[in-house]
Amino acid sequence: MGPELYGLLGTCYQAAQLIGSLFMGVLSDAVGKKGVLLLSFAGSAISYLIIGFTGSILMMFFSRLLVGAVKQTMSISTSLITEMASTKDHNLSSRIGVMRACMSCGFIIGPLCGGALSSINPTLPTTLSALLFAINSVIVIVFLPNTKPTRVSLHDGSKAKSFLRSVKGIKDAIANISTRRWLIMTAIVYFSLSLIRSNMPLSNKENFDVGAQGNGIFMASLGASSVITQSIGVPVISRFFVTTKWQLISGCSVLIFAFAANVMAPSFELTILAASLMILGNGILSTTVTARYSQALPKGNTGGGMGVSGAVTSLMGVISPTLAGILYQQGGNTLPSLVAIIITAAMLLWIILSPPPTSRATKMDKKVF
């Protein structure tokens, strides 16, 4: 399989994520999140088994479309945590951070296990992945409390009408002043970070003659930094900076400093340090923004609302790497970093100058800003 097909597979996955995040989020509001999580696990398991046992390019594309559409576990889990937490829970950012730290641990351990298993048998990694999804399903069935649809069906009991009401709830979420602001911040955070991270392996090779092994160490370091940031750094920052406004200001400040340090780093070791600071700044911003966005969503539309957030990040995942490549060709590592600094600095200025929200759905913001 050539690089063109690899790129097309990635594009198919991102496109499916964009659509699937909206559909699965709305479906979770209409029929309940527990069932949708089980659907997500089942679809993902089937997809990975197809990858392991098929020799057909067409089936490979089908597999990536399937897993992209149904694997929305993070957005659904975030909406579940939000619904279970108190509406006045100021530690929601920390809780989301711990969940993301667990995910980062998986991203560190998974590739190591996958590499070792594939050397024994190429089908072992995908088979183990499917088995883990089956175990996850059992855990959800046994331990997750029964969740009722947050959008109650109409008197005729029509699930289809309940689904349509949940679709309309997406419009309500986007139309709200507060939620729209958090969505814009989500786009800015993911876009600016992706501008830098997309070209880091190439930049390491060109500037410091780092090969595949060195970039492997680099990515492992970022994974470890993510675990530490999400499990320790974010909770500490959340306790030190009590208000959302100062949490956002601290996250933007760290991110701007890290972007600048990445450009000026004279060695590979300092580049790793700068990248770790990016992970810290992004961790503070993304968890804070996600927590406040989920709390500002209209009641009964957390699944659909988080689906919109997932669609925004997927869209940034398509746009940002493409633009990053163009900018890198024009100005090396400096130009993407400069654009990221300007965008993040504009967001910082917006946060500093923003008055407390006045929307009825933003009582939480009035207390924390």
Side-chain angles (χ1 to χ4, degrees):
M1 185 182 294
E4 296 85 2
L5 280 178
Y6 272 116
L8 192 54
L9 278 173
T11 301
C12 287
Y13 175 79
Q14 290 291 349
Q17 280 267 297
L18 188 64
I19 298 171
S21 60
L22 293 172
F23 177 78
M24 296 290 280
V26 170
L27 187 64
S28 71
D29 284 335
V31 303
K33 294 174 177 57
K34 188 171 183 176
V36 174
L37 269 179
L38 293 174
L39 174 63
S40 179
F41 293 153
S44 300
I46 293 170
S47 172
Y48 288 133
L49 286 174
I50 291 173
I51 292 175
F53 291 93
T54 188
S56 166
I57 296 296
L58 185 61
M59 289 302 293
M60 287 285 288
F61 275 98
F62 171 74
S63 169
R64 297 310 291 163
L65 287 171
L66 175 62
V67 73
V70 302
K71 199 174 80 170
Q72 306 295 334
T73 52
M74 279 299 294
S75 59
I76 296 172
S77 298
T78 302
S79 63
L80 262 174
I81 290 176
T82 304
E83 289 182 1
M84 292 178 178
S86 166
T87 56
K88 298 180 179 180
D89 188 356
H90 292 268
N91 292 322
L92 185 58
S93 299
S94 301
R95 302 183 199 284
I96 294 175
V98 171
M99 180 178 67
R100 291 185 175 182
C102 294
M103 181 182 70
S104 298
C105 285
F107 280 128
I108 295 173
I109 299 171
L112 296 175
C113 294
L117 291 172
S118 62
S119 63
I120 301 172
N121 189 314
T123 63
L124 279 179
T126 55
T127 303
L128 178 60
S129 295
L131 178 61
L132 290 175
F133 278 118
I135 294 172
N136 261 348
S137 299
V138 173
I139 293 173
V140 167
I141 292 171
V142 174
F143 295 106
L144 190 68
N146 289 323
T147 57
K148 296 180 180 179
T150 50
R151 292 235 174 225
V152 182
S153 299
L154 301 182
H155 294 298
D156 61 3
S158 170
K159 290 292 183 182
K161 290 183 178 180
S162 180
F163 181 81
L164 290 176
R165 292 181 67 187
S166 297
V167 172
K168 184 180 179 297
I170 289 182
K171 180 181 177 182
D172 298 337
I174 298 175
N176 183 276
I177 295 174
S178 179
T179 52
R180 190 164 60 234
R181 177 184 60 179
W182 297 122
L183 283 174
I184 294 172
M185 288 187 184
T186 298
I188 292 173
V189 172
Y190 278 87
F191 181 80
S192 60
L193 187 67
S194 295
L195 277 179
I196 309 300
R197 293 187 64 176
S198 300
N199 294 314
M200 274 189 160
L202 180 59
S203 176
N204 291 337
K205 181 176 177 56
E206 291 185 352
N207 295 331
F208 308 113
D209 196 26
V210 174
Q213 184 177 2
N215 272 318
I217 295 172
F218 177 77
M219 297 308 295
S221 300
L222 294 190
S225 298
S226 180
V227 173
I228 295 171
T229 295
Q230 302 287 358
S231 59
I232 301 175
V234 172
V236 169
I237 293 293
S238 298
R239 288 184 177 89
F240 186 77
F241 296 108
V242 179
T243 67
T244 296
K245 187 167 188 173
W246 279 106
Q247 290 170 13
L248 295 173
I249 289 173
S250 64
C252 285
S253 301
V254 171
L255 209 52
I256 292 170
F257 177 80
F259 289 155
N262 177 61
V263 176
M264 298 183 290
S267 66
F268 179 56
E269 291 76 16
L270 289 178
T271 299
I272 293 178
L273 179 60
S276 298
L277 286 175
M278 288 183 208
I279 297 297
L280 174 61
N282 176 70
I284 298 169
L285 283 174
S286 61
T287 52
T288 302
V289 169
T290 299
R292 299 306 169 231
Y293 169 72
S294 63
Q295 288 178 318
L297 287 170
K299 186 178 180 181
N301 194 46
T302 54
M306 292 310 301
V308 174
S309 178
V312 168
T313 58
S314 295
L315 184 61
M316 294 302 103
V318 174
I319 297 174
S320 189
T322 304
L323 180 59
I326 296 172
L327 293 174
Y328 191 88
Q329 287 180 341
Q330 298 298 319
N333 191 37
T334 303
L335 191 54
S337 298
L338 181 60
V339 172
I341 288 172
I342 292 172
I343 293 172
T344 310
M347 177 174 159
L348 175 60
L349 186 62
W350 178 28
I351 293 167
I352 292 173
L353 298 179
S354 290
T358 57
S359 171
R360 63 179 178 81
T362 57
K363 293 180 180 179
M364 182 66 166
D365 290 343
K366 292 178 182 178
K367 294 179 181 179
V368 296
F369 264 81

